[in-house]
Structure formats: C-alpha cells, structure tokens
Amino acid sequence: MNINRFKFNNNLIVMGNQAADLDSTVSAVSMATLLSQINPSLQIRPLIQGHPDDLKLKPEIVALFRRAGIPLDDSLFSETAGKNLDDPLILVDHNEPDNSQIHHSIAGMVDHHDDRGLYPDLPLREVKRTGSCTTLISSFWNDSGLSIPYSQRLILAGAIAVDTGYLNPLWGKTTNLDSREYMGLSEALLEQDRTFLNTLVDIKNDLSSLTLSEHLKRDFKFFPLTAHKGGIASITLDSEEFFRKEFYNHQSVVDFCGKNCPGFLLIMHTVNHPFRRELSLYVPRSPQRKLIRAQLSAALEALPDAGIMVKEPRLNADWDSFTQLNPTLSRKVLVPLLLKELIRHQGPLNC
C-alpha cells in the first residue's frame, strides 16, 4: 500500500454518514486515529453527524465505546461541535456528501457502498464493496505497519461483527476481506472481550423502550431522488409488530415525514430468527400521492433480480407492504437498484 496517500498538509475532519450507525461512527473515529498517528503535527478530528442525544437510540455504540474506554463527548457531534469546523473532509462510510449543509472541500473518501463516481482524482480514495466500512479501515491499519491500539482493535472488530451478523453468509454481505480482518482483530482480543462482542447484536436489538418516531430516526437516510425528497429507514421490528395498534401512531409518521421526507418513506424491516426482510411504503398526502405511490410500488415489484419483491395485503390502509424474497439485499444494495429502476421508467418522479 502507498502510505503517502495517508499523508496530508492540512488539518482534517473525518466524517461518517448521515445515519451515524455503529459502522459509520467507528469508521470516523478509527480513521481519524490512524491519520493522526501518520500525521502527528496535524489536528485530525472525527465528526459524527447528529446530536449526542441520538446515542440513546443506539445502545450498541454506547456499549462498545464504553467497553473500549473511548469517550464519546459532545465535541464529536456535528450539532454541538460549533460552526467553525471548516477543515477539509475525509468522507467515511459514504462516497457522496449526504447533508445539504456541508460545503467543505473533500480531501478523501473511504466507503463500501456503490461508487457514485465523484471526486475520482483524490489521493485517498478507497471505494470497495465489503460488508463493513470498518473492514477497509482495519486493512489500512495493518498495511500501514503501525501497531493497532487495543481499543481500536476492539471497536473495529465490534463494528465488523454487527455489520455482517458475525460473518453470517445468509446476510449476503461478508467478503473474504471482512473475514480476514475480523479474524485478525478478534484473535488478539481478550477472551472476555470476544464474549462481549457476541452480545453486541442483542444489545443493538434491545429497543423495547423506543417510540415509533425513535425507531424511524435511529437509522434513517435520505433517498437519492432529486425531484421528491424521500427517505429509507432501517428498523428491527417486523411489519406486523410495527403496525400493531398499541405501537403504531399515524400522526408520528406524518410528523416524521413532514420534517425529514415529505415525498415518501420506505421502511426496511430487518429481523432475525429466522433472518428475513420486509418493506413498507408510505407516501404522504399530496396532489401527486397516487402517482408516486403507484410508481414506487411498480418499481419495487419490477426490480431486475426476478422475484425480489412480492406485494402483500396491506396491514394499514395508508401503507403498501412487501416481502423481500431475497433477504441478502441490504439497504445499500436495494437503494441503487430501486433508483436505477425508477430512472429507467423516466416517470413523474423525475429522478
């Protein structure tokens, strides 16, 4: 590996993606730590998009960082870090700025999603399909020749474990690089920490105290349409549990969409035992509601991987429900496929 691509002349901010999930948070913190060791005269800071209060929605992040002894203080979060953070950005866990308020120059990117082809001439540009972005960060540590601090080893292993379901082949995400990096990281951990890592997914999924709005906010991303502002939320409740009358609150959905995604909201329900995925589609009331709802439903059912989506009877009159026959398609795979299908039709969504 060319170590020179990790050398910089200016202070930097290493920023994770809008969802600020475990993979994104660990990627930002560990990449900033690595770059700081390679560039000791520079100030290189991780930045987590959102507010520190959002951590209550993500208990796995709190548990892992506490175990590693790494504080997540308010200065790490975009909404409390101050407005004077104007240093160039290293994007991690996304390869296109996903916040309209970001006007920084881009100094590098490290990501495991589909390559949008932006900033092709960056000296530091690694966009490669892996199960976890932290897998790429781990490989950087190994190739740099630097010793990986124990705390970094622990958070990297934890993020890979959660993002790949402990290298579960049924998830359809794990690559050889994920397996290699995870095994190398975990083998050097203490036995009690390996045992702790095996509890992380259970910690992540223990969300019984969250409201509907908090479930939606916990792992939400904007959908890349230009004409209509939509979003896709990944939650760990199946559709039947989501729509049970004791939990579902339609006004909360209306309020959430009004603030975040007035065009449409797509929910990916990812549940275990057995592992499966479902989709729910909601389009808020507007003059174009019928058209948007019909086109999105048709696009889901027409995705090129034959039989990916099957429309199910509606559990709620305002929503369309789908079973995803191929559960290996994660959100990061589904979104580009769906966007491509919508563009192919060139319909009223004007993608």
Side-chain angles (χ1 to χ4, degrees), residues 22-199:
L22 181 64
D23 188 29
S24 182
T25 301
V26 171
S27 292
V29 170
S30 194
M31 189 70 192
T33 303
L34 172 62
L35 291 177
S36 294
Q37 290 201 16
I38 295 173
N39 304 272
S41 64
L42 301 180
Q43 185 177 32
I44 301 175
R45 297 164 289 181
L47 190 66
I48 303 167
Q49 293 198 56
H51 192 278
D53 287 349
D54 295 341
L55 285 175
K56 69 181 181 180
L57 311 179
K58 302 163 185 179
E60 72 280 10
I61 296 179
V62 175
L64 181 60
F65 276 76
R66 182 178 293 145
R67 183 83 182 190
I70 301 175
L72 289 172
D73 56 66
D74 291 2
S75 65
L76 295 178
F77 293 82
S78 61
E79 292 185 20
T80 54
K83 303 299 183 183
N84 58 345
L85 297 178
D86 55 1
D87 294 326
L89 294 178
I90 303 287
L91 304 180
V92 292
D93 205 17
H94 60 312
N95 61 78
E96 179 180 11
D98 56 9
N99 187 324
S100 61
Q101 304 304 311
I102 294 172
H103 304 292
H104 302 64
S105 61
I106 306 300
M109 61 175 57
V110 182
D111 187 33
H112 69 134
H113 298 91
D114 281 350
D115 193 343
R116 304 282 290 175
L118 301 177
Y119 312 103
D121 300 323
L122 293 174
L124 174 55
R125 190 181 194 280
E126 185 85 0
V127 182
K128 180 186 297 184
R129 289 297 293 274
T130 52
S132 174
C133 185
T134 47
T135 291
L136 301 176
I137 312 297
S138 176
S139 72
F140 293 164
W141 274 104
N142 285 318
D143 292 339
S144 72
L146 297 171
S147 176
I148 308 178
Y150 189 89
S151 60
Q152 297 297 310
R153 186 178 293 277
L154 179 57
I155 62 173
L156 288 165
I160 296 172
V162 169
D163 232 28
T164 64
Y166 304 101
L167 311 179
N168 187 342
L170 294 179
W171 284 32
K173 299 175 66 174
T174 305
T175 66
N176 290 335
L177 185 59
D178 292 304
S179 298
R180 187 193 79 185
E181 294 301 321
Y182 179 74
M183 296 306 296
L185 292 165
S186 61
E187 286 173 359
L189 295 177
L190 297 173
E191 179 63 32
Q192 57 263 38
D193 285 329
R194 285 198 294 270
T195 300
F196 165 77
L197 291 185
N198 288 332
T199 70

Side-chain angles (χ1 to χ4, degrees), residues 239-248:
S239 56
E240 191 169 319
E241 188 174 3
F242 181 81
F243 287 112
R244 62 186 171 86
K245 63 181 182 179
E246 297 86 359
F247 178 78
Y248 182 76

